[in-house]
Amino acid sequence: VKTMCFSAEENDLELILDTSLLSHKMVKGDPNRLRQIITNLIGNAIKFTSEGSIVLRCSSTQYKNSVLISCNVIDTGIGIPDEAIMNLFESFTQIDASTTREFGGTGLGLSICKKLVQLMHGDIEARSEVGKGSEFSFTATLGISDRILAPLPTVDLKSKNILIIDDNPINRE
């Protein structure tokens, strides 16, 4: 996400990372594959969003010997027509020729994401509403790590008054 912040800021977009539902901070897997998927999905969201925000929301669930990571990239972009969603993950597929002319790209990014997600025993899907934005969700099955992050200090805020000011409701949340 850090590598995509500059592109988002250049386009006057807020890029928000929400890991509040991520119960497993350390897992075993292929960070390069995950990075490629997330970079591609966020890059597309930046490309097709002219105003608003892009949120990467991550969560995890532990099963017997694995952790299922779920990531959702949600944007406030142009959206995708229903009839185009079913072919989005096919090679060289774009919504129409004008998409390539206006936004560029080869139509390979989402196809590559699908293959990478499948290699990690996961799935990828898209939901969208034209004019309101899109949400791309993927899962990946990763191993349980025996490494432990250094514990963060605990701070008791129960008796404190806190004022949060931000123009973005997602950040306030």
Side-chain angles (χ1 to χ4, degrees), residues 72-145:
N72 298 25
V73 176
I74 307 155
D75 67 54
T76 56
I78 62 174
I80 304 164
D82 287 340
E83 60 274 8
I85 294 236
M86 61 190 332
N87 297 321
L88 268 180
F89 299 102
E90 302 300 320
S91 297
F92 305 109
T93 298
Q94 300 226 337
I95 293 174
D96 60 39
S98 65
T99 304
T100 304
R101 281 193 304 275
E102 185 175 350
F103 298 102
T106 62
L108 282 173
L110 292 176
S111 171
I112 292 169
C113 286
K114 182 176 181 173
K115 289 192 184 324
L116 292 174
V117 163
Q118 288 172 338
L119 287 170
M120 293 186 289
H121 308 288
D123 200 9
I124 188 166
E125 63 183 21
R127 290 177 293 285
S128 187
E129 189 173 337
V130 174
K132 299 207 177 194
S134 301
E135 179 174 354
F136 285 81
S137 305
F138 76 90
T139 57
T141 303
L142 304 172
I144 297 171
S145 176

Side-chain angles (χ1 to χ4, degrees), residues 20-40:
S20 61
L21 299 175
L22 195 61
S23 54
H24 296 80
K25 305 290 187 197
M26 298 290 284
V27 292
K28 290 180 185 176
D30 188 334
N32 292 323
R33 284 182 185 163
L34 285 172
R35 186 177 300 111
Q36 187 171 1
I37 295 164
I38 291 169
T39 299
N40 189 289

